């Protein structure tokens, strides 16, 4: 090989070596950078692994704690359930749970015990099956109810939205109260409580209350009898004092007689109150319904009140609904008593102004046979303080304290009024302002008297009362006297009812009140005096207006006259009778409308 060839070869190899060295350096650089990246990645990865490991360790710790807590909770739940069940097992009351299909889920021993070990009563049994078992095994005292009806009733009870508690009696006399509640999930929780003791105590209380009420009634009845017995001699005292005042007396004697009469009358008023109150309390007050004229009745009360107006600047006003029928059906005696008390109080507690009575009919088209009536007694008197208003309808209550009392009264008036109104099925209320006045309202329901459905035309009606036949009831035992009597009244157009003694006369009087009674004094069975006393007592008791009684007697002595008048007789005619005197006496006492028909001279004034 030439040198030139050799150099060229060397240069070629050098170039190749240089190129290889450059390539190596480049590869080394690449390898280094890859290595560096790998190292960085490994570093990052090791960080992640460490974090993950730490997290895992934390999780493992937490899970261990949770596991421990779960164990504790489970243990507690088991204890709680056991305690609850122990408690439910220990109680004497029955407890059971039914599912939404009304099948027994669980029941405590007390509940199960009621079924006395019947095997079919067990979890899974249906409510209806259990009810039927209870009936068939004779566990329930059905107290006359049909078994199927009872089961149906008990099922229907559970079907309702809210289940009312119910009491049942078991065969052994034990009373059980069933209380059932539906849970939001639809289960039924059923409690059965033994209420035998409660029922027994209630029974004892009821019997004690009945005994107490019977005792009160007996006391009231005794009080009623006593008052009645006291009233009869008191009537005598008052009547005799009245007669005495008409005698020729010195001024002192007249004063004494007046005092006896006034005190007697005051005492009679009190006795009447006590009598009424105890009668109502004893349940002995009976209403006597009849047709009556309410307007006329109020007019009469106004007339009675006149003496109370003396010395006062007080007007009595009646505002009577012109569409209110003239005649109503009710107990006029008791209506009179109620209104006399309210109007009497209004007059008593009012010095000036007015006492107005308003009566309005409030017909109900659905009940045309009944007529609700509203009566208001309004005054411009002293009024009643608000705090006293609820008390005054109570017994023995008066607004003023005993020491400062200015007004008389038993404090029973409004209590009786309230009771009478209640007895009539009505209501009473009060509105009052101290120093301004009071207004007592009444709502009562009366019957409509078809005969009196005419509207009242007040002014004309008062001026010209409707004519009607006079009804005279006479008692005379002697046949000849009867003949004479009939003959004397023959020419007169009246309805004469002649009976043979006082007892028959009293019977007729009760059957249909006449306009006038004429009576002999000495008669068998009941004499004229006893008859008059009985009539007056009845009037007093039922607040009836005084019926004129004329005696016909051969006893002409002054002392007899006194005795006769003291018995409540208005006038005494001496036998043998004189026709003119007889007719004049009838004319004097007969109501004008009847006297006119009879052709008698009407008494003036
Ligand atoms: P009394 O028979 O004593 O009057 P009441 O029961 O009738 O009893 O009345 C009870 C009390 O109610 C009266 O004593 C009086 O204080 C009060 N009172 C009743 N009516 C009125 C009235 N119209 N104005 C003021 N006070 C009245």
């Amino acid at each position: 090989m030439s040198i030139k060839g050799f150099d060229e070869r060397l240069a070629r190899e050098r170039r190749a070596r240089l190129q290889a060295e450059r390539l190596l350096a480049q590869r080394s650089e690449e390898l280094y950078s890859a290595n560096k990246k790998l190292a960085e990645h490994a570093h990052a990865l090791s960080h992640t692994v460490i974090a993950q490991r730490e997290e895992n360790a934390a999780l493992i710790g937490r899970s261990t704690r949770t596991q421990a807590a779960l164990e504790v909770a489970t243990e507690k739940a088991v204890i709680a359930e056991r305690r609850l069940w122990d408690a439910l097992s220990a109680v004497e009351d029955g407890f059971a749970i039914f599912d939404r299909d009304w099948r027994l889920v669980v029941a405590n021993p007390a509940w199960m015990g009621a079924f006395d070990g019947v095997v079919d009563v067990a979890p899974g049994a249906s409510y209806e099956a259990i009810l039927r078992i209870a009936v068939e095994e004779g566990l329930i005292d059905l107290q006359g109810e049909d078994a199927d009806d009872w089961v149906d009733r008990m099922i229907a009870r559970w079907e309702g939205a809210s289940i009312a508690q119910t009491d049942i009696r078991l065969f052994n006399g034990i009373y059980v109260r069933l209380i059932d509640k539906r849970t939001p999930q639809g289960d039924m929780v059923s409690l059965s409580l033994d209420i035998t003791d409660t029922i027994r105590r209630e029974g004892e209380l009821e019997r004690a209350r009945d005994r107490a009420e019977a005792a009160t009634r007996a006391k009231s009845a005794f009080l009623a009898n006593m008052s009645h017995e006291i009233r009869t001699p008191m009537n005598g005292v008052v009547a005799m004092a009245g007669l005495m005042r008409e005698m020729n007396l010195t001024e002192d004697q007249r004063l004494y007689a007046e005092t006896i009469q006034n005190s007697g009358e005051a005492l009679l008023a009190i006795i009447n109150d006590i009598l009424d109150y105890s009668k109502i309390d004893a349940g002995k007050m009976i209403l006597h319904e009849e047709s009556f004229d309410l307007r006329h009745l109020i007019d009469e009360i106004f007339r009675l009140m006149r003496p109370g107006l003396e010395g006062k600047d007080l007007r009595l006003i009646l505002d009577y609904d012109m569409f209110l029928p003239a005649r109503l059906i009710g107990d006029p005696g008791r209506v009179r008593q109620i209104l006399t008390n309210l109007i009497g109080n209004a007059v008593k507690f009012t010095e000036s102004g007015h006492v107005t009575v308003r009566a309005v009919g409030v017909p109900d088209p659905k009940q045309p046979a009944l007529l609700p009536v509203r009566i208001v007694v309004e005054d411009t008197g002293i009024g009643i303080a608000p705090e006293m208003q609820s008390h005054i309808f109570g017994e023995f209550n008066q607004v003023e304290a005993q020491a400062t009392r200015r007004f008389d009264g038993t404090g029973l008036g409004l209590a009786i009024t309230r009771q009478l109104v209640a007895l009539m099925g009505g209501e009473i209320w009060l509105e009052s302002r101290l120093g301004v006045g009071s207004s007592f309202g009444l709502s009562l329901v009366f019957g409509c008297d078809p005969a009196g459905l005419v509207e009242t035309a007040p002014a004309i009606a008062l001026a010209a009362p409707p004519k009607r036949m006079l009804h005279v009831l006479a008692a005379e035992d002697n046949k000849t006297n009867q003949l004479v009597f009939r003959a004397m009244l023959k020419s007169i157009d009246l309805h004469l009812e002649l009976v043979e003694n006082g007892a028959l006369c009293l019977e007729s009087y009760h059957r249909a009140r006449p306009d006038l009674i004429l009576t002999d004094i000495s008669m068998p069975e009941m004499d004229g005096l006893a008859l008059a006393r009985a009539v007056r007592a009845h009037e007093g008791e039922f607040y009836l207006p005084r019926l004129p009684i004329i005696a016909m007697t051969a006893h002409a002595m002054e002392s007899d006259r006194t005795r006769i008048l003291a018995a409540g007789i208005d006038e005494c005619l001496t036998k043998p009778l004189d026709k003119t005197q007889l007719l004049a006496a009838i004319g004097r006492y007969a109501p004008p409308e009847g006297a006119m028909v009879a052709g008698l001279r009407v008494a003036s004034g």
Side-chain angles (χ1 to χ4, degrees), residues 273 341-342 345-346 348-350 379 381-384 392 394 397-400 405 408-415 438 440:
D273 272 2
N341 186 38
L342 295 182
N345 275 348
K348 183 156 78 171
F349 296 107
T350 309
D379 67 53
I382 59 173
I384 301 164
I392 56 163
N397 282 339
Q398 292 178 321
V399 169
E400 297 197 341
R405 278 185 58 181
D408 299 332
T410 52
L412 273 178
L414 287 176
S438 309
F440 284 85

Side-chain angles (χ1 to χ4, degrees), residues 285-511:
M285 179 71 83
I286 296 161
L287 297 175
H288 297 272
E289 302 233 312
E290 60 183 88
S291 168
F292 74 103
D293 185 331
L294 178 63
R295 190 196 163 95
H296 184 67
L297 187 145
I298 300 174
D299 275 336
E300 274 181 357
I301 299 174
F302 275 11
R303 244 195 311 273
L304 272 178
M305 294 293 154
R306 264 184 210 136
L309 302 180
E310 266 168 38
K312 291 185 178 184
D313 178 20
L314 188 58
R315 277 194 321 139
L316 290 181
I317 302 166
L318 174 57
D319 178 3
Y320 195 89
D321 181 356
M322 63 185 292
F323 296 108
L324 191 58
R327 299 201 74 82
L328 303 169
I329 295 174
D331 184 331
R334 297 303 163 191
V335 174
R336 180 187 301 272
Q337 186 177 0
I338 291 169
L339 292 179
T340 304
N341 186 38
L342 295 182
I343 301 171
N345 275 348
V347 169
K348 183 156 78 171
F349 296 107
T350 309
E351 273 309 304
S352 65
H354 62 87
V355 169
T356 303
V357 178
R358 293 180 215 287
V360 184
V362 238
D364 178 358
K366 279 188 239 131
Q367 289 182 302
L370 298 178
L371 182 64
V373 174
R374 202 172 271 251
I375 305 175
V376 177
V377 179
E378 180 189 289
D379 67 53
T380 51
I382 59 173
I384 301 164
E387 65 276 14
M388 290 312 298
Q389 291 181 13
S390 54
H391 296 302
I392 56 163
F393 291 106
E395 297 81 10
F396 316 109
N397 282 339
Q398 292 178 321
V399 169
E400 297 197 341
Q402 207 65 24
T404 58
R405 278 185 58 181
R406 282 178 294 149
F407 302 99
D408 299 332
T410 52
L412 273 178
L414 287 176
I416 295 171
T417 301
R418 183 181 52 93
Q419 284 183 322
L420 285 176
V421 170
L423 200 66
M424 293 183 185
E427 273 180 55
I428 183 162
W429 64 93
L430 162 69
E431 281 169 31
S432 185
R433 275 179 63 196
L434 211 53
V436 178
S438 309
S439 184
F440 284 85
L442 284 179
S443 67
L444 295 172
V445 178
F446 295 109
C448 273
D449 183 351
L453 276 175
V454 208
E455 293 157 12
T456 46
I460 301 164
L462 281 182
K467 293 179 178 178
R468 61 180 179 80
M469 194 171 263
L470 188 63
H471 177 190
V472 172
L473 175 61
E476 170 64 71
D477 63 320
N478 184 290
K479 290 274 179 270
T480 318
N481 285 347
Q482 280 186 6
L483 276 175
V484 173
F485 188 72
R486 271 192 201 284
M488 283 184 172
L489 295 181
K490 213 167 128 195
S491 58
I492 310 289
D493 198 5
L494 51 70
H495 166 49
L496 176 64
E497 198 184 343
L498 191 52
V499 293
E500 281 156 29
N501 60 47
L504 292 173
C505 186
L506 192 61
E507 236 180 80
S508 293
Y509 161 83
H510 283 304
R511 216 171 23 245

